[in-house]
Amino acid sequence: MRRAIYPGSFDPVTNGHLDIIARGCKLFDEIIIAILINPEKRPFFTIEERREMLSEVTGQIDSGSCRLRVDSFAGLLVQYAVAQQAQAIVRGIRAISDYEFELQMALMNRRLEPSIETVFMMPAEAYSYVSSRLVKEVFLLGGALDGLVPVPVEARMKEKVSGH
Ligand code: PNS
């Protein structure tokens, strides 16, 4: 049983995240998509909203025999991974600029917990510039998000700013 954690803020989940999850499904029997509870950040969506959206959109992934679960966690990622009996952490690397910080995190996580491996995966080129931060910025400035986030996510973003 190969279980991986795919951690992140997912504020909001993008098509780039979904692309990585679909690729991860080829390698693992189960992927736990784990949303970081970070009290220091002021998020666009609450943890509960992010959970709901992730559950909805990951249900549409062709995951084969791979089981997908959505969860949230606080504290150290490696402690959470051990508690979930996972062997690996999956992270997406878009450009070389991501690599430096991801390498630091992977090596720190290895030092903290040598039994957990970090697996870096590359999304499709079409998503190589997509980030949750830019998606929020473009959205708040009135730009179109077609193809960048799943349709239900864009709808939830619109609801959020219209106050419904
Ligand atoms: O989507 P993000 O914001 O790039 O995800 C970052 C995340 C959640 C992977 C990272 O902040 C994290 O692992 N936080 C948990 C706290 C922790 O374990 N810190 C030490 C990491 S070396």
Side-chain angles (χ1 to χ4, degrees):
M1 172 74 178
R2 294 263 147 215
R3 183 180 289 124
I5 309 291
Y6 181 44
S9 305
F10 303 106
D11 188 33
V13 56
T14 68
N15 285 342
H17 293 127
L18 297 185
D19 182 90
I20 294 290
I21 296 168
R23 289 172 198 282
C25 281
K26 297 181 198 160
L27 302 181
F28 297 100
D29 302 308
E30 181 171 274
I31 300 177
I32 304 175
I33 300 137
I35 310 165
L36 174 68
I37 302 169
N38 185 352
E40 276 159 35
K41 269 198 189 169
R42 280 193 58 232
F44 189 83
F45 286 112
T46 65
I47 295 285
E48 202 39 52
E49 288 168 331
R50 281 178 267 166
R51 249 178 189 270
E52 283 168 16
M53 281 183 282
L54 274 165
S55 299
E56 181 179 352
V57 301
T58 55
Q60 276 146 33
I61 292 177
D62 179 13
S63 56
S65 59
C66 172
R67 180 164 178 239
L68 295 176
R69 277 207 281 143
V70 179
D71 194 14
S72 53
F73 76 104
L76 275 183
L77 171 60
V78 286
Q79 281 178 0
Y80 172 77
V82 168
Q84 297 297 319
Q85 296 179 306
Q87 295 86 17
I89 292 167
V90 168
R91 290 290 288 169
I93 302 259
R94 291 162 297 197
I96 201 74
S97 50
D98 282 338
Y99 179 72
E100 214 163 316
F101 183 55
E102 292 297 332
L103 177 68
Q104 277 183 15
M105 283 205 294
L107 294 179
M108 182 62 82
N109 283 336
R110 182 188 280 167
R111 182 195 155 100
L112 293 169
E113 186 49 65
S115 69
I116 305 275
E117 290 296 333
T118 296
V119 176
F120 290 153
M121 301 199 72
M122 282 72 68
E125 300 92 285
Y127 304 122
S128 61
Y129 60 92
V130 179
S131 69
S132 299
R133 187 178 63 81
L134 277 187
V135 157
K136 280 180 284 198
E137 184 170 322
V138 168
F139 173 76
L140 290 171
L141 296 173
L145 296 185
D146 320 39
L148 303 181
V149 296
V151 171
V153 170
E154 186 171 5
R156 292 285 282 257
M157 292 178 87
K158 285 182 179 155
E159 272 172 34
K160 189 103 188 159
V161 293
S162 72
H164 294 298

